[in-house]
Amino acid sequence: MTEVRETRLPGVGVKHDFTTDDGRDVGVLVHRDGRRDIVVYDRDDPDTCSMQVMMNAADARTLAELLGTSQVNAAVQSVQQEIEGLAIEWLTIGAGSRAADRTIGDGEFRTKTGASVVAVIRSDTPFPAPGPEFGLLQGDVVVCVGTTDGLNLMRDLVAAD
């Protein structure tokens, strides 16, 4: 899997970006309210955005389905509803993360944040509804559901020291 860089943007959300095989930088800005923006950076000036596509939650789910995340979507859809105050975040376990090499239960994520880990993606393989004994590794992407405050706490718990 290509390296994904994560940048927290206080008051806005989190930006995830990567460099495509042909050298183009592409990113997804995940707003706190669930909106997603896809951004493509200028090839000659990677600090300049050459294109931006704004998506609501339904648009983002449709695009994800088209890109092949249907296995994870099936697990997430069982807990995802249009309920105000509930959000979903995809968080990467980075190098130096306190969550790496621990089980979900050892991390006490739900107890500490009120948010739940509803799936883990490891090397493009989805693990829907992992139990407390599921071990997390550096590079895993955890799909979490909770309130905005709970997801902020979750982000802090999986952040690198």
Side-chain angles (χ1 to χ4, degrees), residues 18-93:
F18 67 98
T19 304
T20 64
D21 195 40
D22 70 349
R24 193 80 182 244
D25 287 333
V26 177
V28 175
L29 176 57
V30 181
H31 294 269
R32 290 179 177 262
D33 65 3
R35 290 178 296 124
R36 306 279 198 271
D37 295 347
I38 297 175
V39 292
V40 179
Y41 298 96
D42 187 83
R43 190 179 300 275
D44 298 322
D45 181 4
D47 292 327
T48 301
C49 179
S50 63
M51 183 173 64
Q52 179 176 357
V53 177
M54 294 178 270
M55 299 185 163
N56 62 27
D59 295 337
R61 282 192 300 274
T62 300
L63 181 60
E65 183 74 24
L66 292 172
L67 292 172
T69 62
S70 60
Q71 294 171 340
V72 172
N73 254 356
V76 172
Q77 284 176 346
S78 67
V79 295
Q80 180 181 17
Q81 298 176 9
E82 296 297 324
I83 299 173
E84 190 160 332
L86 186 65
I88 294 179
E89 289 278 347
W90 284 258
L91 304 171
T92 302
I93 307 293

Side-chain angles (χ1 to χ4, degrees), residues 15 17-18 44 51 67 71 85 97 102 136 139 152 158 161:
K15 180 181 76 162
D17 57 4
F18 67 98
D44 298 322
M51 183 173 64
L67 292 172
Q71 294 171 340
S97 170
R102 298 179 73 191
L136 298 173
N152 287 335
V158 302
D161 283 333

Side-chain angles (χ1 to χ4, degrees), residues 131-150:
E133 72 288 343
F134 189 92
L136 298 173
L137 302 175
Q138 179 182 326
D140 284 353
V141 176
V142 291
V143 181
C144 305
V145 174
T147 64
T148 300
D149 290 341

